[in-house]
Amino acid sequence: DGIDSYKIFSLPNPFRIIIDVHGARQSAVAVTGKASVDTPPGSPPAQPLTPPSELTGVRQHPSAPEREKQSATAVVVLRQDQKKRLRPPPAMPKEDALPKGQSKLSLAQQLGLGVRKIVLDPGHGGKDPGAMANQMQEKDIVLKIAQILKPKLAKQLNCEVILTRNEDIFLPLEERTAIANTEEADLFISLHLNAHPSLETRGLETYFLNLSTNAEAMRVAAMENATSTHQMSDLEGILSDILKNSKIDESSRLAGYVHKSMLTGLDGKNFGDVKNLGVKQAPFYVLIGAQMPAILLEIAFISNKIDAENLQNQEFVETVTNEIVKGIGLYVQTTTASLSSSP
């Protein structure tokens, strides 16, 4: 009864099975095998009417200090699954008409949710170099960008920033998302460089998780998903995870703010004509299962000579990181905008 959701997947070298369990946050109640009863403070612990062998789930065994603390409030006894009854949701109030010119606020805005922790994910690493061209490897460039970006985000947004990797090591795609979920991050930003068979292709594009029919988006997703441990038998579960993702709208908004900020900041600078390849959606494994708004940045084409020179230009890297911070900051400001109206 205490399990809210879970994911099970395997990882190689060495082979292991990962069970990622998320518990539901709920107040302590005394529950018998027949019914659920709130226990007033000071009341004696409720005794289960059903033998423990007939109860489903796993009991938690708190430490001695925790047992003493719990004895003064309530005792939790697991409920039989078959006794659960779903209550109908309360009727939703009718939506008031918005003033002319005022857009509908997102759920995050309505709740005034802020950003206290961001996970940055430098793509690839270790045995997986990512895209390689012009004597450079994607894994090295994105790690450098992440290490420059981290203190800027922490200082300007006053939040904690965590890197999925801080050195040249290999991390499976699924493990990167698991890190963000375990850390209970508010945002997940995956950093990558693009590559294309045509050496003339260059530009900037930003992705969020969704299914796609765009040929170029599918090509990029296939390239970035190459190291995934998923098999064809996992397809149904993967599609289900994508379709159940509740953060698509927020991820789309975050992608829009960051992408626009990067384009604006790079425009007119001595970096050549940075082509706008747009905000797109695609099924990236590294974004599947993220329990927070998550985006993937393809900052430049390592296969293009001009982009490759820019990536080795410290001014370009500083500008890109500054604009990523600015874009995330704009997203945070709109998300945490005050909902109070002036009299």
Side-chain angles (χ1 to χ4, degrees), residues 1-22:
D1 283 355
I3 295 178
D4 180 56
S5 63
Y6 67 91
K7 293 180 72 65
I8 302 176
F9 55 93
S10 62
L11 296 174
N13 302 323
F15 179 84
R16 56 213 189 269
I17 296 175
I18 308 299
I19 305 176
D20 191 5
V21 180
H22 300 272

Side-chain angles (χ1 to χ4, degrees), residues 162-224:
I162 297 172
L163 299 185
T164 55
R165 67 178 182 95
N166 201 26
E167 54 186 330
D168 185 19
I169 59 172
F170 174 76
L171 282 178
L173 299 176
E174 298 85 351
E175 194 167 328
R176 297 167 187 264
T177 316
I179 290 172
N181 290 338
T182 302
E183 293 289 344
E184 297 184 339
D186 297 298
L187 299 177
F188 179 73
I189 315 292
S190 192
L191 304 173
H192 290 262
L193 300 178
N194 217 328
H196 199 277
S198 171
L199 302 184
E200 300 301 317
T201 302
R202 62 187 299 256
L204 167 69
E205 55 189 352
T206 306
Y207 287 90
F208 63 95
L209 178 67
N210 209 343
L211 299 178
S212 177
T213 57
N214 180 281
E216 179 61 16
M218 289 190 287
R219 183 194 68 82
V220 176
M223 181 174 63
E224 300 294 0

